[in-house]
Amino acid sequence: MLLAANSHLTSPDYIVILLYLAITIGIGIAIGRKVKTGSDFFLGGRRLPWWAIGMSLVATDIGGTDIIGVGGAAYSHGLAVANFEWIGCIPAMIVGAFIFIPFFYRTGVYTIPEYLERRYNAGVRTVMAICWLLFMACNLGIMLLASAKMMSEVFGWNQPVCILVTAVLVGAYTCVGGLAAVVYTDMIQCTVMIAGCLLVLVLGIIEVGGIDELKNRLAEVEARQAATAMEVADAESPPVAIDTDRPLERTSLILPADTKSPFPWPGIFFGLALILSPAYWIGNQAIVQRSLGAKSDFEAKASYIWGAVLKNIIPLIVAVPGLIALALLPDLESGDVAIPALVNRLLPVGIRGLFVAAFLAALMSSVDSYLNSAATIVSNDFYKRFIDKDVSDERLLTVGRVTTAALVVWAVIFAFILTLMSEKSGVYAIFQTLMAFFQGPAFAVLLFGFLWKRATGTAAFIALLCGIATSVSLYTLNQKVIYTLLGWEPLFRVEEPFLYFSIWAFLVTSTLIVIISFFTSPDSEEKLKYVYHRAKLPNEFDNAAKGSVV
C-alpha cells in the first residue's frame, strides 16, 4: 500500500495514530478473551458501569459520519444542524433515562424488537428487526465511506483502499471484543475524539480572527452566494449589497419554514424533537443495548444522564468547524470535504495525527457498536427466535461472531456502491433519510404499546407496515424524475425533507393504531404487563448469575 506523493502526514503523525490504534485494539482483544458466552458478547455480562456506558453512548452517536457529515452540513446549510445534538439528543435522553430505559432493563430483553414481541406479537418484532438490520447494514457502508473521504483527503490514499483498510481493521477488532470491549474502548475513543475536535475548533477560531470576524466572513459568503444565485436566474439583476448586520441563516439555530436548508423550524420541532430524536434514543437498538448491559436499572438510568451532560459540548466541536471551513475555504466542491480540508490547513506537522486518531476513534466507536448490535438482532431476533429456540449461549456467541464478519463484507460492498452514486446531499443526509423511512412508524408503535393498554398487536403490525410505506412513498414521489414524469409539483420545497417524512409517517401510523385497535380484540393480560405502570415488573436480572466480563 503506497501513500500518494502529496500525503500531509509525517512520521510523528503516524506514531500518534499507531500508538492510539495499538492501545485501543489491545484493550479490545484483552477484554475479548474473557468473552465466553452470548450474554458476554451481546450484553457484556450485564456488569457495565454507568460512567463507561455514558461515554460509549456519546462515542457511538458521534461517529465518523458525524465528524464529516455534521461539519459538512454546517458548511452547506449553517449552524441549524447543531439542533440534531441539542434539541435532537438531550431532551430525549433525559426522558429516556427516567421513564423508558429502566423499564426496558427490568424486562430482561436483549433487543427492542424482543420487547415488541412481548408487548404485541412476533410479526411486529420481525418487521422491526428487519428494519433495524437493514438500517444498520446500510449505515455501516455509509460510515466506511465517510472514513474513506477523510483518509483520502488527509493520507492521500484513494477511497477504495481506505474502505478496505478500515473494514479489515475495525472488523477484526469487533469480532473479538463484544459489547464490553466496545464500551470500554469507547471511553478512550470519546476522550480522544473530543480532544481532537476541540483542537481544530480553537485553532480555527484563531486562524479566522475571532468570533466577530467569523460572522463577518460568513455574511460575505452568504451575500456572494445570493448574488450568484440571482445572476443565474436573471443575468441583468442588480448586484446585491453586502449587509453584515442582517440575520445570517448560516449562524441561526432556528430557520424559517420556507428555507432551502433541510432544517426548517417545523421539521426540527415536529420531525426531530418530537419524533426522530426520541425514536433514536429510546428505540435504537445500537443505543439502548448499551444500557441493557448495565449493572442495574439505576446505573442504566445514570448512564443516559451522564451522556446527556457530555452531549452539550458536541455541537460546538463538530458543527462550528464547518462554519470556520466556510469562512476560510468558501469554494469547496462539497461540504463533505470541508473538515478534511480544514484539518490540512490548520494543524501543524506532528499534530495532524491527533485529529486523524480522533476521527478513527469516532469511526471505530460507531462501527463496532453497529456491528455488535446488528449481530445481536440477527442472533436473537432471527436465529434464536426462528431457527434454534434452544440454542446454547456458547453457540449463540459463534453465530454472533460469524454474523459480524458477514456484516463487514456487506458494509464494504455497500460503501463501494455509494461511491458510484451521486451524493450531492452528503453522507449525513443519506444517513438521516434512511432513518426517516422507519423511525417515525417505529416510534409510534413503541410509544402506543408502552403507554396505552388498548393498543393491539394486530393494529401495531398493520400500522407499522402502512407507516413505512408512507415514508418510502413520500420519498419516491418527491424525487424529481418521478414528479416530473407524473406532471406534479414537488411535495416538499426544502432539500432532503427527511424530517417531514417522519412527521407524516408517524401521524399515519398513530392514527391507524388507534382506529384498528378499537376494531380488534384487546391483548391478553400477559401482554399488558409490558405496558408502563400497568404492572410492576420484577427485575429479571436480580437473581440471575452475573457474568465475569469487565
Side-chain angles (χ1 to χ4, degrees):
M1 183 185 310
L2 297 175
L3 286 175
N6 62 344
S7 173
H8 301 283
L9 297 181
T10 63
S11 296
D13 294 317
Y14 286 113
I15 292 174
V16 171
I17 295 169
L18 292 175
L19 182 62
Y20 158 74
L21 292 176
I23 293 174
T24 53
I25 293 176
I27 292 175
I29 292 175
I31 294 176
R33 290 177 178 174
K34 298 182 180 181
V35 174
K36 305 298 182 183
T37 67
S39 177
D40 293 341
F41 188 79
F42 300 124
L43 292 182
R46 300 189 181 105
R47 294 190 62 87
L48 302 175
W50 62 270
W51 45 270
I53 297 173
M55 297 185 75
S56 179
L57 289 171
V58 175
T60 297
D61 182 54
I62 301 298
T65 304
D66 297 276
I67 290 181
I68 297 296
V70 174
Y75 182 93
S76 301
H77 305 294
L79 193 59
V81 70
N83 285 312
F84 280 81
E85 299 299 322
W86 283 319
I87 298 177
C89 292
I90 297 172
M93 293 177 76
I94 298 300
V95 172
F98 285 97
I99 298 178
F100 291 88
I101 299 305
F103 186 86
F104 290 150
Y105 185 94
R106 290 193 296 270
T107 64
V109 299
Y110 275 54
T111 68
I112 293 298
E114 182 182 352
Y115 166 78
L116 291 175
E117 179 178 14
R118 296 190 185 188
R119 173 59 184 90
Y120 290 122
N121 54 45
V124 176
R125 175 181 185 174
T126 302
V127 172
M128 280 309 309
I130 291 172
C131 287
W132 276 116
L133 182 59
L134 289 175
F135 166 73
M136 290 179 182
C138 293
N139 196 36
L140 287 169
I142 295 173
M143 291 174 181
L144 289 181
L145 179 60
S147 69
K149 285 178 177 290
M150 175 70 181
M151 289 188 284
S152 177
E153 179 73 17
V154 177
F155 287 107
W157 298 347
N158 60 46
Q159 288 191 13
V161 171
C162 296
I163 291 172
L164 290 173
V165 169
T166 306
V168 171
L169 177 67
V170 181
Y173 153 76
T174 307
C175 284
V176 175
L179 184 63
V182 168
V183 168
Y184 284 109
T185 55
D186 277 358
M187 292 192 311
I188 300 174
Q189 292 159 350
C190 183
T191 303
V192 172
M193 177 193 68
I194 290 175
C197 293
L198 185 61
L199 179 62
V200 172
L201 173 66
V202 173
L203 293 179
I205 291 176
I206 294 174
E207 175 75 11
V208 83
I211 300 296
D212 291 336
E213 181 62 22
L214 175 62
K215 292 180 180 179
N216 290 336
R217 292 199 186 190
L218 292 175
E220 294 174 2
V221 170
E222 280 202 3
R224 187 164 60 250
Q225 290 178 345
T228 301
M230 291 184 66
E231 289 173 1
V232 171
D234 183 0
E236 297 181 357
S237 61
V240 178
I242 297 176
D243 181 7
T244 56
D245 294 326
R246 68 182 177 85
L248 288 178
E249 187 167 295
R250 301 281 186 179
T251 57
S252 299
L253 284 173
I254 307 300
L255 300 182
D258 60 350
T259 179
K260 293 182 179 180
S261 162
F263 316 119
W265 78 262
I268 290 293
F269 180 74
F270 294 105
L272 177 62
L274 298 184
I275 299 175
L276 276 184
S277 172
Y280 181 82
W281 287 101
I282 296 169
N284 186 333
Q285 176 62 29
I287 297 298
V288 176
Q289 188 173 338
R290 307 281 162 280
S291 62
L292 298 181
K295 294 180 179 179
S296 66
D297 57 345
F298 174 80
E299 295 215 14
K301 178 192 300 183
S303 69
Y304 260 58
I305 297 174
W306 172 229
V309 172
L310 294 175
K311 268 290 184 180
N312 280 281
I313 66 172
I314 298 301
L316 297 177
I317 64 175
V318 177
V320 175
L323 298 180
I324 295 173
L326 180 64
L328 296 176
L329 306 164
D331 300 317
L332 297 178
E333 295 181 0
S334 168
D336 285 340
V337 301
I339 300 303
L342 186 66
V343 169
N344 280 333
R345 171 162 176 162
L346 293 179
L347 299 188
V349 171
I351 302 298
R352 267 187 212 114
L354 176 62
F355 183 82
V356 175
F359 175 79
L360 291 175
L363 171 71
M364 292 173 65
S365 65
S366 295
V367 172
D368 60 19
S369 298
Y370 274 86
L371 280 174
N372 184 256
S373 296
T376 303
I377 286 179
V378 172
S379 302
N380 289 274
D381 293 311
F382 291 108
Y383 188 88
K384 186 175 181 178
R385 178 64 178 80
F386 297 108
I387 298 176
D388 186 359
K389 294 183 179 180
D390 299 320
V391 62
S392 67
D393 234 11
E394 291 74 15
R395 173 63 178 170
L396 208 57
L397 171 60
T398 301
V399 173
R401 283 177 168 162
V402 171
T403 301
T404 301
L407 286 167
V408 171
V409 174
W410 155 254
V412 171
I413 294 173
F414 188 67
F416 280 119
I417 292 174
L418 287 177
T419 61
L420 302 177
M421 297 170 58
S422 172
E423 204 186 339
K424 182 179 179 181
S425 59
V427 293
Y428 195 65
I430 295 176
F431 172 78
Q432 295 296 339
T433 300
L434 284 173
M435 282 205 304
F437 284 162
F438 70 94
Q439 283 267 71
F443 181 57
V445 168
L446 180 63
L447 187 65
F448 276 87
F450 187 83
L451 298 176
W452 189 38
K453 67 178 182 179
R454 190 60 182 83
T456 67
T458 301
F461 180 73
I462 296 173
L464 179 59
L465 293 178
C466 291
I468 294 172
T470 298
S471 57
V472 174
S473 298
L474 290 174
Y475 171 81
T476 303
L477 292 174
N478 201 61
Q479 300 304 300
K480 185 175 181 179
V481 64
I482 301 297
Y483 66 71
T484 301
L485 184 64
L486 296 174
W488 295 357
E489 292 293 321
L491 297 180
F492 304 98
R493 299 292 182 178
V494 300
E495 297 178 14
E496 303 298 336
F498 48 83
L499 294 171
Y500 289 108
F501 301 159
S502 299
I503 296 173
W504 285 106
F506 177 85
L507 292 175
V508 168
T509 306
S510 301
T511 301
L512 289 176
I513 288 178
V514 173
I515 294 174
I516 299 174
S517 290
F518 283 119
F519 286 93
T520 52
S521 300
D523 286 333
S524 65
E525 287 297 319
E526 178 66 21
K527 299 287 185 184
L528 296 184
K529 79 175 185 178
Y530 293 98
V531 177
Y532 189 62
H533 286 320
R534 172 68 178 179
K536 185 176 180 180
L537 285 170
N539 188 336
E540 298 190 14
F541 297 156
D542 281 346
N543 300 320
K546 296 286 188 178
S548 60
V549 178
V550 295

